[in-house]
Amino acid sequence: MRKIAIVTLVAAPLLVGSLTAGSVLASGGRSADEQALAPLRGAASRSVEQRVDRLLAQMTVKEKLQQVQLLSDGQVTDADARAGVGGVFSLTDPTRIDQLQRIAMTESRLKIPILFAYDTIHGYRTIFPVPLAAASSFDPEVAKADARIGARESATVGIKQIYSPMVDVSHEPRWGRIVEGNGEDPYLGSAFAAARVKGAQGNDYGRPDRTLTSPKHFVAYGQPEGGRDYNTTDLSEQRLRNLYLPPFKAAIEAGADSIMCSFNAINGVPGCANHYTETDILKKEWGFDGFIESDYTAVTETIAHGTAADAADAGAKALMAGTDSEMVSTTLRDNGEQLLADGRISKRRLDDAVRRILRVKFRAGLFERPYVDQAKAVDPASFLTSADRAAARTAAGRSMVLLHNEDQALPLDPAKDTAVIGPLADNQHDMLGPWWGRGQDADVVSVRQGVTDGSTGTTTFAQGCTLSNEEPPDYDPADDCGSAAGFAEAVAAANAADQVVLALGETREMSGEAATRSTLDLPGRQQELIDAIAATGKPFAVVLFNGRPLTLSGVVDSAPAVLEAWFPGVEAGNAVADVLFGKVNPGGKLPVSFPQRLGQVPIYYNHEPTGRPCDVTQKYTSRYRDLRSCDPLFPFGFGLSYTTFEVSDLALDRTTVSRKGEVVASMTVTNTGDVAGDDVAQLYLHDPVASISQPVRRLRGFERVTLEPGESRTVRFTLDASDFGFYDNRGEFVVEPGEIQVFAGDDSTADLTKTFRVRR
Ligand code: BGC
């Protein structure tokens, strides 16, 4: 088992004044408060487990049922704090956090601190690019920096847990929440999951500038049928284990001590009442000793799912399945005593849930440092510092993907006059993307501003059309660039300039939770706006802001250059200008396939083969009658640069390997162009003959490299059983003897290939 009692509780000097104003050092270096509280929670010199035991032994059933309750900012009252509520989320006012914490610490019987949580998904105040964008960087350090800064800013106001990272692998671009994760690949997703956990937690989330993380949504929430949020997921054991579980495992291994169970039912069993995933896999198989919180009202929603009869039944089933903490709904708090008396929940399980929550609170240092520095919490200088902004700008630049660049249309010349056109050109609001935390529109550098600041020529602006930020039922898709009335002005602006930047895409409301779209096209008449600008004959580039793969065939046909900027965050305009004017050479790669048409969905590079692979020239193959190819428009791993690269010399250090052995694969990346740039060396495997059909490709290594013109770098990847093997449908990891194909290149169509053989 992992790290029981990793937190050796920090003794007093650091803690002076943290419990109550005026606490003093007593003998032995401990604060008077701490000494006074020792009978309740055990002395700081005791192990976390001993202290948990001591506290637990004193708790009444009512207090235990409070401890497993998690309330929202809108729900919580002083009385809840007094009664010993376990957690509060979405509260970000440091004064109110402090008030509630003081009530818990001084007026509740056992003085157990409250764990405050928040959805810091891609920043708290310093908003970074959305996670799908960060994943496009193929550089986990981007996500790590985001998580580190987000955790620091969150912790500054008293938040000690963030509901992040979102690590749901998804092959479903209609689903609005694809934006929150790392795309379609479990290997890339695992690297980013671990990076975000480490970024936020460091080596010790008890430190004042760190937070506990909570990977979500456990599990397979990324595959809702029809793309509709919260909808059913039905999947095989091998898919569960090969595709959806790995990023969670990586997050847990990186130290995540809490996790959020999902809304959706998996094979008919809701995520927060799922004994198999919560207890059998997560807690028993993986040895997870932190706690599982439910998603928002997910416990009561099991009634609507049709697996619980009423609130009491829902609470009992969730707890007994392994859910430790109930968010928003109060089924356990309301019914727990009766459920216990009736034997429908066990004392042992309730104690286990409470034990897990207390353990994490001890590890988080909350008993020693329940309060935050109020002066710092309200000081604007604590947030969005110039260093934070610089990190966000770098991250955004590294996250952009150059999709198309005919005749080197990009970079643009910063000395020329530029017309910045489009509904997202002079926009701050949407640049933050969904889950903007405490980000503020006014903090955002718009594209118009960034281009103005980044060029020496004149910058003009025309909106062309507008997009709607309404929510249904007020939202009418006809309000998304539904009128061409502004096109003439846009065309005039283009004609008067030397070059045009066309900022198009989606609003931030079109992505995120409950934001499924039934089309992947650019909303409204934006394509017509592109065509109108193309007709001017002026050089131009389309810059896209969106949270999902879009169908871009029309865009690519009419625009000389297309830059996928996603939702870049607070430094959007500066980062876009950096890339457009060539200050930053784009090196991002797609973490998700972009289909030609919606009808191809789900389309993902790591699909299994079929008995009749797609051949559009042959009937009775797995093809579309009305498409000339089954390929995506842009494959996973794809992205261009202002320079060119060659990947060569794929080599393996051996041709056979034992099941427990290692193979080192190497490849050389050369910058064959004229400017410095970044490429991502990518290594894929395929097992051509296995007991169950294996994906045609699986990413098993990647590294982003920066190369000067003419420079080469040899990149090495060590492969072992975790790469050769796979989970079968009994849930067992197997390494089967036989041939493994290796592919190397700089996208998922990589064609350099070699094979090795795994021996019996
Ligand atoms: C979302 C979670 C989020 C929670 C708390 C839910 O609706 O699914 O991702 O953490 O709300 O805000």
Side-chain angles (χ1 to χ4, degrees):
M1 283 268 279
R2 234 163 25 91
K3 62 169 184 181
I4 297 282
I6 46 156
V7 178
T8 324
L9 291 163
V10 188
L14 284 175
L15 312 172
V16 178
S18 65
L19 279 169
T20 56
S23 71
V24 287
L25 273 189
S27 59
R30 298 210 178 85
S31 72
D33 283 329
E34 219 182 295
Q35 284 197 336
L37 290 171
L40 280 180
R41 55 174 68 152
S45 55
R46 299 284 175 166
S47 73
V48 165
E49 295 307 300
Q50 287 169 322
R51 301 183 81 192
V52 168
D53 283 345
R54 178 158 197 145
L55 207 42
L56 192 60
Q58 300 167 75
M59 291 175 84
T60 63
V61 171
K62 269 201 169 65
E63 283 165 339
K64 291 176 188 171
L65 294 168
Q66 285 289 351
Q67 202 51 221
V68 300
Q69 182 67 57
L70 173 53
L71 296 175
S72 73
D73 56 334
Q75 286 179 295
V76 68
T77 63
D78 289 2
D80 292 312
R82 213 166 282 124
V85 74
V88 173
F89 72 101
S90 284
L91 184 64
T92 56
D93 171 8
T95 312
R96 180 66 180 142
I97 289 179
D98 191 64
Q99 252 173 20
L100 286 171
Q101 194 69 301
R102 280 179 199 277
I103 294 173
M105 295 306 291
T106 58
E107 297 178 35
S108 77
R109 191 178 73 90
L110 293 175
K111 305 185 177 25
I112 300 173
I114 298 171
L115 178 62
F116 292 94
Y118 192 55
D119 288 287
T120 301
I121 308 294
H122 54 112
Y124 177 80
R125 175 72 187 273
T126 304
I127 304 303
F128 269 65
V130 288
L132 190 62
S136 310
S137 71
F138 273 66
D139 174 8
E141 291 302 315
V142 164
K144 207 169 174 183
D146 168 7
R148 178 176 47 79
I149 293 169
R152 191 204 78 225
E153 290 183 336
S154 305
T156 302
V157 299
I159 291 156
K160 203 57 197 165
Q161 180 193 24
I162 57 173
Y163 294 151
S164 171
M166 192 285 215
V167 300
D168 295 314
V169 167
S170 184
H171 295 163
E172 184 43 86
R174 289 170 292 186
W175 189 51
R177 303 198 80 169
I178 197 169
V179 69
E180 295 174 48
N182 302 303
E184 73 190 29
D185 183 66
Y187 184 82
L188 184 71
S190 297
F192 275 77
R196 284 190 185 272
V197 170
K198 290 204 180 110
Q201 296 193 174
N203 295 327
D204 174 7
Y205 57 80
R207 290 176 49 133
D209 57 346
R210 300 295 190 173
T211 64
L212 163 70
T213 56
S214 191
K216 62 189 187 184
H217 308 81
F218 197 69
V219 56
Y221 178 48
Q223 220 47 45
E225 287 189 358
R228 280 186 299 118
D229 214 349
Y230 321 117
N231 205 11
T232 299
T233 306
D234 198 291
L235 77 171
S236 63
E237 184 69 23
Q238 67 93 1
R239 281 215 168 181
L240 173 68
R241 290 186 177 262
N242 291 315
L243 286 178
Y244 300 104
L245 285 173
F248 285 97
K249 190 139 186 257
I252 302 299
E253 283 170 1
D257 262 353
S258 60
I259 195 166
M260 187 184 293
C261 54
S262 59
F263 287 125
N264 59 300
I266 308 151
N267 304 338
V269 186
C272 292
N274 198 315
H275 193 277
Y276 181 57
T277 53
E278 297 188 283
T279 297
D280 296 345
I281 296 180
L282 178 61
K283 292 181 177 174
K284 293 196 175 147
E285 206 178 301
W286 296 358
F288 174 70
D289 68 0
F291 69 87
I292 308 178
E293 76 250 338
S294 81
D295 204 343
Y296 203 110
T297 62
V299 174
T300 32
E301 288 174 30
T302 60
I303 303 170
H305 271 293
T307 60
D310 52 28
D313 196 29
K317 284 177 171 154
L319 182 75
M320 294 314 288
T323 304
D324 301 302
S325 166
E326 180 176 2
M327 188 192 289
V328 176
S329 58
T330 56
T331 65
L332 283 163
R333 190 170 75 173
D334 298 344
N335 304 288
E337 282 176 296
Q338 192 59 49
L339 288 169
L340 205 53
D342 295 345
R344 292 171 67 191
I345 60 173
S346 67
K347 173 173 180 298
R348 192 166 162 187
R349 175 75 260 279
L350 179 60
D351 283 358
D352 175 54
V354 175
R355 182 185 298 282
R356 288 167 178 273
I357 293 164
L358 294 178
R359 178 184 291 143
V360 173
K361 288 185 175 182
F362 274 111
R363 288 179 182 168
L366 275 175
F367 286 86
E368 282 66 42
R369 283 181 296 278
Y371 308 122
V372 298
D373 179 339
Q374 287 297 310
K376 205 168 158 193
V378 296
D379 182 357
S382 304
F383 308 91
L384 195 62
T385 65
S386 51
D388 298 339
R389 268 197 182 276
R393 182 172 180 166
T394 304
R398 288 179 80 72
S399 301
M400 291 179 195
V401 187
L402 182 63
L403 294 177
H404 177 64
N405 197 18
E406 235 169 66
D407 302 327
Q408 300 189 313
L410 283 176
L412 300 176
D413 183 347
K416 290 189 172 164
D417 293 344
T418 310
V420 180
I421 294 173
L424 296 171
D426 192 24
N427 177 297
Q428 295 174 298
H429 179 82
D430 294 297
M431 298 296 114
L432 295 177
W435 293 109
W436 54 89
R438 301 294 298 172
Q440 297 178 11
D441 293 359
D443 295 339
V444 176
V445 181
S446 69
V447 173
R448 180 185 187 180
Q449 189 63 50
V451 168
T452 305
D453 295 348
S455 61
T456 50
T458 327
T459 304
T460 53
F461 163 71
Q463 195 168 21
C465 61
T466 55
L467 297 171
S468 165
N469 294 105
E470 295 283 358
E471 284 295 339
D474 296 330
Y475 170 64
D476 180 350
D479 295 337
D480 286 323
C481 196
S483 156
F487 287 14
E489 189 199 348
V491 166
N495 277 323
D498 301 322
Q499 55 194 11
V500 179
V501 173
L502 205 42
L504 307 174
E506 302 180 314
T507 63
R508 74 185 191 190
E509 287 78 11
M510 290 181 196
S511 280
E513 189 171 350
T516 298
R517 289 185 66 206
S518 64
T519 161
L520 301 177
D521 291 342
L522 271 182
R525 300 172 69 174
Q526 295 185 84
Q527 177 69 49
E528 283 175 52
L529 180 56
I530 301 176
D531 296 338
I533 299 302
T536 66
K538 293 286 176 175
F540 74 104
V542 168
V543 184
L544 292 172
F545 302 93
N546 49 291
R548 56 164 59 74
L550 296 174
T551 40
L552 298 172
S553 301
V555 178
V556 170
D557 284 348
S558 358
V562 181
L563 178 69
E564 177 55 83
W566 307 108
F567 293 115
V570 77
E571 282 289 304
N574 286 335
V576 164
D578 288 344
V579 172
L580 290 179
F581 296 124
K583 209 165 135 188
V584 168
N585 189 348
K589 304 279 180 177
L590 294 178
V592 65
S593 309
F594 276 41
Q596 305 173 52
R597 281 201 201 163
L598 175 63
Q600 292 177 292
V601 166
I603 180 167
Y604 46 100
Y605 88 93
N606 45 358
H607 61 86
E608 289 87 1
T610 91
R612 297 184 180 191
C614 174
D615 177 348
V616 287
T617 65
Q618 298 292 320
K619 201 169 162 76
Y620 305 113
T621 70
S622 184
R623 65 174 185 175
Y624 293 97
R625 186 179 156 73
D626 55 358
L627 277 184
R628 294 254 167 84
S629 105
C630 293
D631 296 338
L633 182 65
F634 298 115
F636 175 87
F638 171 82
L640 301 171
S641 166
Y642 297 155
T643 186
T644 48
F645 294 97
E646 195 196 353
V647 181
S648 62
D649 302 327
L650 168 63
L652 305 177
D653 73 338
R654 66 200 62 214
T655 52
T656 72
V657 64
S658 74
R659 290 186 208 203
K660 290 192 180 150
E662 288 180 351
V663 177
V664 178
S666 59
M667 64 178 95
T668 302
V669 188
T670 305
N671 181 344
T672 51
D674 301 330
V675 289
D678 286 13
D679 198 15
V680 178
Q682 301 172 36
L683 189 87
Y684 296 86
L685 297 190
H686 173 54
D687 182 345
V689 184
S691 54
I692 55 174
S693 174
Q694 288 301 294
V696 294
R697 302 247 163 134
R698 290 188 295 129
L699 182 72
R700 296 309 295 180
F702 66 90
E703 189 175 331
R704 182 166 172 158
V705 292
T706 303
L707 297 172
E708 294 298 321
E711 190 185 350
S712 290
R713 177 98 38 92
T714 297
V715 179
R716 289 187 175 75
F717 301 102
T718 302
L719 303 167
D720 63 17
S722 66
D723 304 296
F724 322 148
F726 56 87
Y727 284 95
D728 66 14
N729 272 319
R730 289 164 307 163
E732 273 165 32
F733 191 77
V734 290
V735 181
E736 297 181 345
E739 184 181 286
I740 301 280
Q741 294 173 340
V742 182
F743 299 91
D746 55 6
D747 68 43
S748 57
T749 67
D751 55 8
L752 286 178
T753 183
K754 290 254 175 227
T755 58
F756 65 89
R757 178 165 279 281
V758 179
R759 293 193 297 269
R760 272 183 193 285

